[in-house]
Amino acid sequence: TVVATTTCGPCTTVSAITTTTASPNATVAPGEVIWARSLATTSNDYGYAVAVGRQGQVLVGGRHSRSFVANYNPTGTHVATVEFSPSNLVAMAVDSHNTAWAVSDSTTLWQVSSENTTLLSTRPSISGASATKIALDFQDNVLVVGTTSTNLHGNTNAGAPTGGLTSTNLGNDAFLMKLARNGTR
């Protein structure tokens, strides 16, 4: 165990990072563990998302008392961790500019530098919507899927079994939302 104290502004101090690594030149069978890491804080920690940056860095997203993105280099060395509120990160993806996009279950969207793990921006949540996954299209626009109990901006109900049905008529609906990366459509 490597004990670490990492402070990032108003972030919680990381109390320990547990390390397991295979021998450098060892032959490993398919599926055998090459390395494993544990990020531990003073509260319960949950990992929900993983993404890989252009330089091979591994980003792990999760939550404890706050949401976090931990950055590891390709050999598993912990580089940095950034934390932010609220504490409900559920999914993450990395775009072609090497920026990580993370989404909360309440659809709050965070933009995080995958190189130095700094929080670049936060977009507010959408009332009545609950996100479950995130992806990026070929233009790096953000695609979010989940469930909504209300009508969303631009909702056309396309694909509904019968036209004109809205979530206020039938309960929860699945949604797909496309968000512009840089304010352009």
Side-chain angles (χ1 to χ4, degrees):
T1 301
V2 177
V3 178
T5 54
T6 306
T7 306
C8 44
C11 302
T12 306
T13 301
V14 175
S15 59
I17 299 170
T18 305
T19 304
T20 305
T21 306
S23 300
N25 296 318
T27 303
V28 293
E32 189 173 337
V33 174
I34 295 172
W35 57 262
R37 304 293 182 263
S38 174
L39 181 66
T41 65
T42 57
S43 63
N44 293 325
D45 305 306
Y46 303 93
Y48 287 101
V50 64
V52 179
R54 287 190 323 206
Q55 285 81 38
Q57 68 272 33
V58 180
L59 302 166
V60 177
R63 61 188 183 203
H64 45 83
S65 60
R66 302 175 63 161
S67 291
F68 67 85
V69 174
N71 184 347
Y72 296 88
N73 72 17
T75 62
T77 301
H78 180 254
V79 176
T81 299
V82 63
E83 296 178 331
F84 35 87
S85 292
S87 63
N88 51 358
L89 183 148
V90 294
M92 187 170 49
V94 177
D95 68 20
S96 64
H97 302 282
N98 218 25
T99 300
W101 293 85
V103 67
S104 74
D105 59 4
S106 62
T107 68
T108 300
L109 187 68
W110 299 287
Q111 187 181 14
V112 179
S113 166
S114 62
E115 292 166 356
N116 59 13
T117 322
T118 55
L119 184 63
L120 302 175
S121 69
T122 301
R123 289 181 171 76
S125 63
I126 297 168
S127 177
S130 177
T132 55
K133 299 290 180 210
I134 189 172
L136 301 162
D137 69 10
F138 68 98
Q139 295 176 319
D140 286 337
N141 293 307
V142 179
L143 301 167
V144 179
V145 297
T147 303
T148 182
S149 60
T150 62
N151 288 320
L152 300 176
H153 173 73
N155 184 18
T156 61
N157 295 312
T162 37
L165 299 178
T166 65
S167 55
T168 55
N169 301 84
L170 298 175
N172 291 334
D173 292 324
F175 74 84
L176 168 64
M177 188 173 5
K178 183 175 181 177
L179 304 165
R181 180 186 193 281
N182 290 323
T184 58
R185 294 179 186 236

